[in-house]
Amino acid sequence: MINLYEVKETNQMIEQDNLDVRTITLGISLMDCIDSDLDRLNQKVYDKITTVAKDLVKVGKEIECDYGIPIVNKRISVTPIAIIGEAACKKPEDYVTLAVTLDKAAKEVGVNFIGGYSALVSKGMTRGEENLIRSIPEALAKTERVCSSINVGSTKTGLNMDAVRLMGEMVVQTAEYTKEQDSLGCAKLVVFCNAPDDNPFMAGAFHGVTEADAIINVGVSGPGVVKHALSKVRGESFEVLCETIKKTAFKVTRVGQLVAQEASRRLGIPFGIIDLSLAPTPAIGDSVAEILEEIGLERCGAPGTTAALALLNDQVKKGGVMASSYVGGLSGAFIPVSEDQGMIDAVTAGALTIEKLEAMTCVCSVGLDMIAIPGDTKASTISGIIADEMAIGMINQKTTAVRLIPVIGKGVGETVEFGGLLGYAPIMPVNQFSCEAFVSRKGRIPAPIHSFKN
């Protein structure tokens, strides 16, 4: 039974510590929409999304009202469009029509974002998958709500370096196509290694081919809640610190479990997973960097940062797993620069660099996320950064991702304002030494020896 103290505690977490359900994401399979005629395909995709998701936003708002729990985003993820469009799309421009259809459907049902403009090319690319990748700059420039993700590697298959090289070029092109919006298109484009099928968070969400026809996934976030709890145990031992994080993560996940079950019941769609990710926002007190500083660092990026983040990530997962039978996605701690005021402050103070962020990604849930870099950064340099991050994921059997934003017309020392949950970011310097000869090699980096477990 829930007692009065727990009710008051949850209310405090919502009202004072920025606890929210970051997203209800409805995954929709489009496998039954596949058609060799492009016009029919677009119509089928639009009809399927607008039918299955017609009540998503309404139900989300009802749950908010009934339980007093903020649900910040209502989103949709779909089957990777490279799969759905292959039979009908003969050139990149054909895929762009599908992006426009996805955007139109998302607007019709009222969701914030729709993810799944994606391709899974960890071992090789079909002609259709390459066409989708080459269509990304135009697709993201012509749409508002469409998010794109490309999986270029995995522990089982190695790294597709042809795709890594191509993605560096596409990031630069996307920045150019959306330069009037400070290269905002790149904020909706992420490159993965070991991408999960059930991630509810954008820009990396897509509906995996192993999933049911439709599924409800919920992403919960609560860095402010964790920071508040840790402020009460300053100076205590690591044992007390870990127990506090675990207990707090348990409570936060239970809130997500309640929302997920209610959404599933009201929509008549099966519940998939809870993703407990400490995903920060620009709001004061809603920062992963500030949690690390509460643990004992003067600034995020100081010596000890990677160890503190490893501790945080592990305890969050341990607490979350005890609170729900189906924890998945990217559960743990996110470290996006532009969306975290503490990270921004650390970069501005000179405590945090891209190299230190890369080290931190070895132990966190994602990777180099929402990092603004100079607009004149070479495509080959971006490909090299992607390759480094993908290698971390491949070798460590974990998900890693890269979301870099080369802001056209801006350089180190300047800032870029994205607005809303995306916040603002200082332009961070990148290593100027060339890796052109490395990323220009064709083929793939083989899977590591420990991948052979079948």
Side-chain angles (χ1 to χ4, degrees):
M1 291 291 290
I2 298 175
N3 60 43
L4 185 60
Y5 172 77
E6 291 173 315
V7 172
K8 289 180 179 178
E9 188 178 45
T10 302
N11 285 338
Q12 178 183 317
M13 289 192 294
I14 293 169
E15 293 169 6
Q16 299 177 24
D17 303 326
N18 298 313
L19 173 63
D20 58 52
V21 171
R22 186 59 48 86
T23 178
I24 295 178
T25 300
L26 171 58
I28 302 174
S29 172
L30 300 182
M31 296 296 282
D32 56 350
C33 298
I34 293 173
D35 199 296
S36 59
D37 182 274
L38 186 57
D39 290 335
R40 285 201 302 265
L41 171 61
N42 275 291
Q43 190 61 52
K44 287 180 179 180
V45 167
Y46 180 82
D47 291 345
K48 177 77 178 279
I49 293 170
T50 53
T51 299
V52 177
K54 67 182 189 303
D55 295 326
L56 176 63
V57 173
K58 177 174 71 74
V59 165
K61 290 179 178 177
E62 288 173 356
I63 294 171
E64 284 185 275
C65 291
D66 291 350
Y67 291 94
I69 299 170
I71 301 172
V72 180
N73 295 293
K74 293 83 178 175
R75 298 167 171 171
I76 294 169
S77 64
V78 298
T79 311
I81 291 298
I83 298 171
I84 303 307
E86 183 119 26
C89 299
K90 306 306 180 187
K91 55 186 184 297
E93 293 77 12
D94 293 340
Y95 276 105
V96 174
T97 68
L98 277 169
V100 172
T101 295
L102 293 176
D103 203 48
K104 181 182 174 185
K107 186 176 182 180
E108 173 64 25
V109 299
V111 295
N112 309 90
F113 289 111
I114 184 165
Y117 198 74
S118 307
L120 311 178
V121 294
S122 62
K123 198 171 184 180
M125 288 183 284
T126 65
R127 181 174 298 177
E129 288 166 336
E130 183 174 344
N131 282 336
L132 178 131
I133 292 172
R134 293 190 181 278
S135 77
I136 287 172
E138 185 180 356
L140 295 183
K142 287 188 171 181
T143 59
E144 295 179 12
R145 308 179 193 214
V146 171
C147 291
S148 180
S149 60
I150 307 296
N151 190 74
V152 300
S154 75
T155 300
K156 280 287 187 183
T157 61
L159 300 184
N160 181 349
M161 290 301 293
D162 294 329
V164 169
R165 184 179 65 255
L166 182 57
M167 284 311 301
E169 296 168 5
M170 291 305 102
V171 169
V172 170
Q173 284 189 27
T174 302
E176 283 284 354
Y177 272 66
T178 58
K179 64 183 178 182
E180 300 304 321
Q181 302 165 283
D182 281 330
S183 303
L184 181 64
C186 295
K188 297 183 287 181
L189 172 60
V190 60
V191 186
F192 274 114
C193 178
N194 290 322
D197 282 0
D198 55 5
N199 169 23
F201 285 102
M202 300 297 168
F206 61 86
H207 186 72
V209 295
T210 61
E211 299 283 349
D213 190 59
I215 207 82
I216 288 288
N217 295 324
V218 168
V220 188
S221 182
V225 181
V226 175
K227 180 179 181 293
H228 179 79
L230 293 183
S231 69
K232 298 178 180 178
V233 294
R234 287 175 186 163
E236 296 285 355
S237 68
F238 281 108
E239 182 180 356
V240 172
L241 181 72
C242 292
E243 286 300 309
T244 302
I245 296 171
K246 278 195 297 185
K247 288 176 181 177
T248 306
F250 178 89
K251 295 170 186 174
V252 170
T253 308
R254 293 302 286 176
V255 172
Q257 179 83 1
L258 171 65
V259 169
Q261 289 174 338
E262 275 300 299
S264 174
R265 182 181 66 80
R266 296 184 189 199
L267 289 167
I269 293 172
F271 159 55
I273 57 98
I274 298 289
D275 185 323
L276 173 60
S277 289
L278 298 183
T281 72
I284 301 300
D286 203 25
S287 162
V288 170
E290 290 178 9
I291 296 176
L292 300 177
E293 289 163 9
E294 186 64 55
I295 289 174
L297 306 171
E298 180 182 4
R299 279 284 187 196
C300 179
T305 297
T306 305
L309 181 59
L311 179 154
L312 173 65
N313 210 58
D314 185 53
Q315 301 309 311
V316 164
K317 290 183 177 182
K318 286 174 177 173
V321 166
M322 291 299 293
S324 173
S325 297
Y326 299 102
V327 173
L330 296 165
S331 293
F334 283 19
I335 51 172
V337 174
S338 82
E339 298 170 0
D340 188 313
Q341 187 60 52
M343 292 285 181
I344 294 168
D345 292 343
V347 170
T348 304
L352 194 57
T353 64
I354 288 181
E355 287 75 18
K356 182 59 177 178
L357 282 164
E358 183 182 306
M360 293 164 65
T361 64
C362 296
V363 298
C364 79
S365 288
V366 179
L368 297 172
D369 196 18
M370 287 299 291
I371 297 173
I373 60 176
D376 60 359
T377 305
K378 294 179 181 178
S380 59
T381 298
I382 293 173
S383 294
I385 295 171
I386 291 170
D388 284 344
E389 195 59 37
M390 300 301 99
I392 289 171
M394 176 183 71
I395 296 296
N396 291 297
Q397 305 179 67
K398 69 186 289 294
T399 301
T400 49
V402 172
R403 188 161 43 152
L404 295 177
I405 307 166
V407 184
I408 304 300
K410 294 198 174 183
V412 176
E414 297 182 85
T415 60
V416 57
E417 180 72 50
F418 298 119
L421 283 176
L422 298 179
Y424 73 97
I427 308 295
M428 299 182 69
V430 298
N431 192 309
Q432 295 299 307
F433 288 91
S434 176
C435 61
E436 181 89 40
F438 173 69
V439 299
S440 294
R441 293 177 182 270
K442 298 185 183 301
R444 57 192 171 96
I445 294 175
I449 187 66
H450 58 252
S451 68
F452 301 111
K453 293 183 177 179
N454 56 335

